[in-house]
Amino acid sequence: MNEPSPPAIDVQVRVVATTEVAEAFFQTRLQVPDTTIRPGQFVQLRPRSQQSVYPFLRIPLSVAAVDVQQQTIDVLYEQVGPKTTALRHIAAGDEVGFLGPLGNHFPMPDPGADPVAVPVLVGGGIGVPPLIYFGTSLRSHGHEPILLVGARSANKHLPDRLLEPASADVRRASDDGTLGHAGFVTGLLQKALDEPLSSPIVYTCGPHGMMAAVARLCAEREVPCFASLEEYMACGFGVCVGCVVERANKESLPSPYGHYARVCLDGPIFDARQIVW
Amino acid sequence: MTDLRTNFAGIELRNPVLLASGTCGYGEELAPFLDLSRLGGIVTKTITPEPRAGNAPPRIVETAAGMLNSIGLQNPGLQGFIVDKWPYLAALDTKIIVNIAAPTAALHAEMAARLDDVEGIAGIEVNISSPNMKDGGMLFGCSPTASNEVIAAVRAATRLPVIAKLTPNVTDIAAIARAVVDGGADGIAMINTLLGMAVDWRTRKPILGNITGGLSGPAIKPVALALLWKVHQAVDVPIMGLGGITSAEDALEFLVTGATAVQVGTATFIEPGGAADIVAGIESHCAAAGISRVGELVGTLGV
Ligand SMILES: Cc1cc2nc3c(=O)[nH]c(=O)nc-3n(C[C@H](O)[C@H](O)[C@H](O)COP(=O)(O)OP(=O)(O)OC[C@H]3O[C@@H](n4cnc5c(N)ncnc54)[C@H](O)[C@@H]3O)c2cc1C
Ligand SMILES: Cc1cc2nc3c(=O)[nH]c(=O)nc-3n(C[C@H](O)[C@H](O)[C@H](O)COP(=O)(O)O)c2cc1C
Ligand code: FES
């Protein structure tokens, strides 16, 4: 999208610290040789030694924060299975395999537009982390993004201190009504889009069903929408063709070879109108 | 210093380590992580006569010490390969083996004849072993007669070395190996993936969109070694061994068991630069063991 993505590196990096930031939600800070990473890009970590075979594949995680001075990045993840469990148990000072940054990045709103679009970031569950880094970057470019965050319940919500750098206007929803709007984050989006915003542009990352609903709401109102997809990945750099999503405009493509796009290399960020939900 | 140069069915390899079909694309995406000129060669993702979209996702899932895939041969087709992918490959300083599959023996032969006209291809690997192709692949590779027909048709259509890639999903792999050698195969590559499946009992659904897929990775290495051992005893053509190789030691085990060269597959997904480390590891292990030519190891298993 706007600018080319920086080249990926394949190195061992050190874990600075891992902390629990919400129930079963962890933040791991990594000391990295290069912090040139664009918002929306992800990394493939190998939380085991090269000699071991468990867990076997790497774990794809979005970059949630970058500290250029300290040369660190943060990943934020929910412990859901073997790979996330292995990662959270790596002791501070120990190493983890790092491959990245990978994939494309969120396109910035057009600064020349009149009026300049208001970014509305819509995140659910494990989809919130890339929006934190993107929101932070938007603000440093003079935008004032609105951040809508959904989670199952209050104890699954990331704390204010992690979201504040990304937005001065954070609105929360929880499925069980224990924090903020009772219901899905799409309810918050509906309200936000009904406000007299000059011209919204939506960026979303979260569970598939949530993003599909966001994409539908945006399509109905002709609001531009970019979605960051999460598919099961093996390589993360385009060779296995395992992480695919179906393209919407298949009929116009010259060959069926292009019917499925790779989330890792052609994405993870897609214009929501260009894929089949 | 150990001499790693290897002649495989007339193909002069810098060393006996290649990248396996479907795990290195058409080279380009790997280049940022791996100096391809350090390898013996690469085997392209399977191409078919016409472009294919591949199977519906999910296409991959991790399993114990490995993974399942049901990619379904998403590829640009023969013409798309020659126009869009070959120019990049042709410029690489390594041997390129093109892997093909088709629904009939005659279509295999047509592909081979077209590739025969392309300057610079080192050999053709015939995928009669894909578990993810409903109109070919394993359909041929499970029958000695059908395997023989496909390989004979390809052999007659090209001057290039022809390598038959075998499936482990058969009762008697030695019979298939003899059938492809009778058909004129100059070499054998083995093994392709083992048919496998993963299930979510809560949703009571298979995990892969295609229901079944192919198992690869360290989990299959013992199976690959046992089958290699059988085939090495059954035929005289050189064999490329693969299946679960992740280290130089793994590669050396295949050489000793009877492989003239090896292919690194799934391991590349986790360590994109790993194949070059395997080359370096083979060299240092051989040097330490006082082996002057890597070929001295091939088929030296004492039983
Ligand atoms: C580009 C990308 C960025 C990601 N960023 C983040 C992030 O910032 N924070 C975070 O917590 N997670 C993120 N994920 C998801 C994360 O990679 C998976 O949760 C993780 O791989 C699970 O591994 P596991 O072994 O712990 O669990 P598994 O046992 O592999 O899975 C546990 C559960 O999670 C589901 N799951 C597994 N892989 C994925 C996946 N790729 N996407 C969605 N669900 C999955 C499984 O279906 C299963 O229900 C991202 C995924 C991708 C592809
Ligand atoms: C994602 C994936 C895609 C594959 N695609 C092909 C293919 O197109 N053609 C083929 O002959 N083999 C294909 N294979 C099989 C590999 O080349 C190899 O035979 C198998 O994976 C066993 O080796 P490994 O355990 O080292 O991966 C594929 C394997 C994987 C994991
Ligand atoms: S994960 Fe291998 S192509 Fe995307």
Side-chain angles (χ1 to χ4, degrees), chain B residues 93-118:
Chain B
D93 177 21
T94 195
K95 298 292 178 190
I96 312 296
I97 295 173
V98 179
N99 180 304
I100 63 169
T104 65
L107 284 168
H108 278 93
E110 269 179 42
M111 292 185 83
R114 269 297 293 289
L115 292 170
D116 203 51
D117 293 336
V118 178

Side-chain angles (χ1 to χ4, degrees), chain A residues 24 33 36 52 58 82-83 87 96 107 124 131 138 156 160 169 171 174 186 203-204 209 227 241 244 253 273:
Chain A
T36 323
S52 156
R58 288 185 184 240
K83 292 189 281 274
L87 181 58
V96 60
L131 298 175
L138 281 166
K156 286 279 175 195
D160 287 337
D169 185 357
R171 308 176 194 176
S174 49
T186 39
Y203 301 91
T204 183
V241 211
V244 297
L253 295 173
R273 289 164 305 185

Side-chain angles (χ1 to χ4, degrees), chain A residues 46 56 58 83 241 260 262, chain B residues 29 53 59 62 270-271:
Chain A
R46 194 199 59 237
F56 184 58
R58 288 185 184 240
K83 292 189 281 274
V241 211
Y260 290 103
R262 291 163 297 186
Chain B
E29 295 89 348
R59 290 178 173 182
E62 175 163 345
I270 297 117
E271 304 300 336

Side-chain angles (χ1 to χ4, degrees), chain A residues 9-21:
Chain A
I9 51 172
D10 176 8
V11 290
Q12 290 287 115
V13 302
R14 237 169 250 296
V15 170
V16 177
T18 294
T19 39
E20 188 162 7
V21 291

Side-chain angles (χ1 to χ4, degrees), chain A residues 7-10 12 44 46 48-50 53-58 82-83 99-100 102 231-246 254-262 265, chain B residues 22-26 29-30 32-33 45 51-67 71 74-77 85 216-218 246 266-274 277:
Chain A
I9 51 172
D10 176 8
Q12 290 287 115
Q44 280 269 63
R46 194 199 59 237
R48 59 163 168 87
S49 78
Q50 280 192 40
V53 292
Y54 183 81
F56 184 58
L57 297 174
R58 288 185 184 240
K83 292 189 281 274
L99 185 70
L102 300 165
E231 267 298 330
Y232 212 103
M233 290 183 176
C235 69
F237 50 90
V239 289
C240 76
V241 211
C243 60
V244 297
V245 57
E246 198 176 346
S255 149
Y257 178 48
H259 282 187
Y260 290 103
R262 291 163 297 186
L265 196 71
Chain B
T23 62
C24 56
Y26 303 98
E29 295 89 348
L30 252 187
F33 307 105
K45 170 81 186 162
R52 288 196 180 215
N55 288 329
R59 290 178 173 182
I60 43 182
V61 64
E62 175 163 345
T63 55
M67 61 176 279
I71 310 298
Q74 177 171 344
N75 81 92
K85 307 293 182 186
S216 65
T246 65
T266 303
T268 297
F269 299 159
I270 297 117
E271 304 300 336
D277 298 340

Side-chain angles (χ1 to χ4, degrees), chain A residues 194-246:
Chain A
D194 286 340
E195 286 168 23
L197 289 177
S198 48
S199 67
I201 176 168
V202 169
Y203 301 91
T204 183
C205 187
H208 187 89
M210 181 209 95
M211 288 197 286
V214 170
R216 203 163 42 241
L217 276 177
C218 291
E220 281 164 15
R221 291 153 206 252
E222 293 182 17
V223 169
C225 175
F226 293 89
S228 180
L229 304 188
E230 285 176 5
E231 267 298 330
Y232 212 103
M233 290 183 176
C235 69
F237 50 90
V239 289
C240 76
V241 211
C243 60
V244 297
V245 57
E246 198 176 346

Side-chain angles (χ1 to χ4, degrees), chain B residues 139-217:
Chain B
L139 225 56
F140 298 113
C142 287
S143 144
T145 322
S147 301
N148 175 281
E149 275 169 23
V150 169
I151 298 301
V154 172
R155 181 59 288 162
T158 175
R159 297 160 299 169
L160 294 168
V162 174
I163 303 162
K165 185 164 179 184
L166 306 189
T167 170
N169 304 307
V170 293
T171 323
D172 182 3
I173 197 163
I176 308 283
R178 281 189 292 265
V180 297
V181 171
D182 284 347
D186 305 289
I188 284 173
M190 59 181 288
I191 55 177
N192 208 316
T193 53
L194 284 144
L195 190 66
M197 182 164 163
V199 164
D200 183 339
W201 79 268
R202 286 172 218 278
T203 59
R204 305 190 195 189
K205 290 249 162 70
I207 302 222
L208 296 177
N210 192 48
I211 304 171
T212 60
L215 180 65
S216 65

